[in-house]
Amino acid sequence: MSIQSNLQHIRDRIQAACVRADRNPEDVRLVAVSKTKPADMIDTAAEAGQTLFGENYVQEFLAKSEEVNASVDWHFIGSLQSNKVKYLRDKVSMIHSVDRLSLAKEINRQWKKSGETVDILIQINLGEEETKSGTEENALEQLVREVAALPHVRIRGLMALPPYLDDPEEVRPFFKRLRQLAEKLDKLHIPGVEMRELSMGMSHDFEVAIEEGATLVRVGSAIFGSRY
Ligand SMILES: *Cc1c(COP(=O)(O)O)cnc(C)c1O
């Protein structure tokens, strides 16, 4: 399968999931996750109309973003160490993986240098999996309040990486939970906080995520092929 036809197939499936869920397809953006894939594959996807890409590793992202010819929009979606934030400044338009105050403060400090504000999502560890990053549910509200006070970051919603389960239907409760948490936060009307984005769903479960309200689906292997 080519990247072009993979992308077309994904777009068709996004469209169909939106119809099923009675949602506007314009409210769902496809983040093409290009980690470990070379720059020319990103250019090929860009030629096929894909404009938004997600990367996980800072070093790899820096090298590749230099090599990619197309003008594309980057989101950072991987776990992030504070000492690497400086490399992302002015290069990414959204960071999906903010899960602690110290990281948010460093993002704030870096973007302040250019006088800009960056959109971020708060990542939640829904499965309470020890190996995964993400803030715990019971710490969420306080984290959101503290991050909201930082002038150079803007909270736009929530992100989660639920457990991998073979049957995507079994992931549905996690997606539902993320949406409910966003709705709850929205009702608090915390100044500067907008719960408009739900980043959830990957290659094998993005349709269920869309049915549950995803606005950003992060799809890698279904576009670029397996990474292993
Ligand atoms: C790798 C990755 C994806 C994409 O996974 P696929 O199964 O290849 O679609 C999505 N989100 C995050 C955070 C990832 O690390």
Side-chain angles (χ1 to χ4, degrees), residues 16-188:
C18 285
V19 168
R20 280 198 299 281
D22 200 15
R23 294 187 58 196
N24 183 346
E26 286 178 12
D27 294 338
V28 180
R29 283 190 291 161
L30 173 62
V31 184
V33 177
S34 45
K35 62 173 177 235
T36 78
K37 300 296 179 182
D40 63 299
M41 289 180 93
I42 297 171
D43 276 322
T44 302
E47 277 162 32
Q50 180 64 28
T51 53
L52 176 56
F53 293 83
E55 285 280 341
N56 288 60
Y57 310 108
V58 173
Q59 247 76 19
E60 183 198 335
F61 163 62
L62 290 179
K64 267 165 28 182
S65 64
E66 295 289 310
E67 289 173 49
V68 169
N69 294 314
S71 159
V72 301
D73 186 18
W74 299 103
H75 285 185
F76 192 83
I77 65 169
S79 63
L80 184 55
Q81 290 169 272
S82 292
N83 61 3
K84 302 236 172 101
V85 170
K86 56 178 179 284
Y87 303 115
L88 298 180
R89 178 162 61 93
D90 304 333
K91 295 201 169 73
V92 300
S93 62
M94 189 183 280
I95 299 174
H96 290 220
S97 44
V98 179
D99 61 356
R100 57 198 188 277
L101 183 60
S102 58
L103 176 60
K105 280 184 172 166
E106 177 58 14
I107 295 169
N108 185 68
R109 198 174 77 88
Q110 292 299 336
W111 260 262
K112 183 178 183 205
K113 291 181 183 174
S114 33
E116 303 285 334
T117 300
V118 64
D119 289 340
I120 63 158
L121 305 178
I122 302 293
Q123 182 176 354
I124 306 180
N125 184 355
L126 286 176
E128 294 181 3
E129 293 173 281
E130 281 178 21
T131 54
K132 280 199 184 148
S133 36
T135 188
E136 302 298 326
E137 274 183 40
N138 58 18
L140 176 62
E141 183 183 330
Q142 194 187 343
L143 178 63
V144 168
R145 288 187 185 280
E146 287 169 337
V147 174
L150 303 170
H152 295 276
V153 299
R154 187 165 52 169
I155 300 179
R156 305 287 279 184
L158 304 179
M159 180 271 220
L161 191 60
Y164 182 93
L165 301 166
D166 285 334
D167 179 0
E169 276 304 322
E170 287 181 31
V171 194
R172 189 182 294 275
F174 293 95
F175 295 143
K176 211 178 272 253
R177 181 73 191 142
L178 195 70
R179 191 188 64 218
Q180 288 166 345
L181 288 171
E183 286 166 358
K184 218 169 99 185
L185 283 169
D186 212 29
K187 292 205 181 89
L188 300 175

Side-chain angles (χ1 to χ4, degrees), residues 33 35 56 77 159 161 202-204 218-222 227:
V33 177
K35 62 173 177 235
N56 288 60
I77 65 169
M159 180 271 220
L161 191 60
M202 313 193 347
S203 288
H204 87 297
R218 309 178 310 263
V219 178
S221 48
R227 287 180 296 275

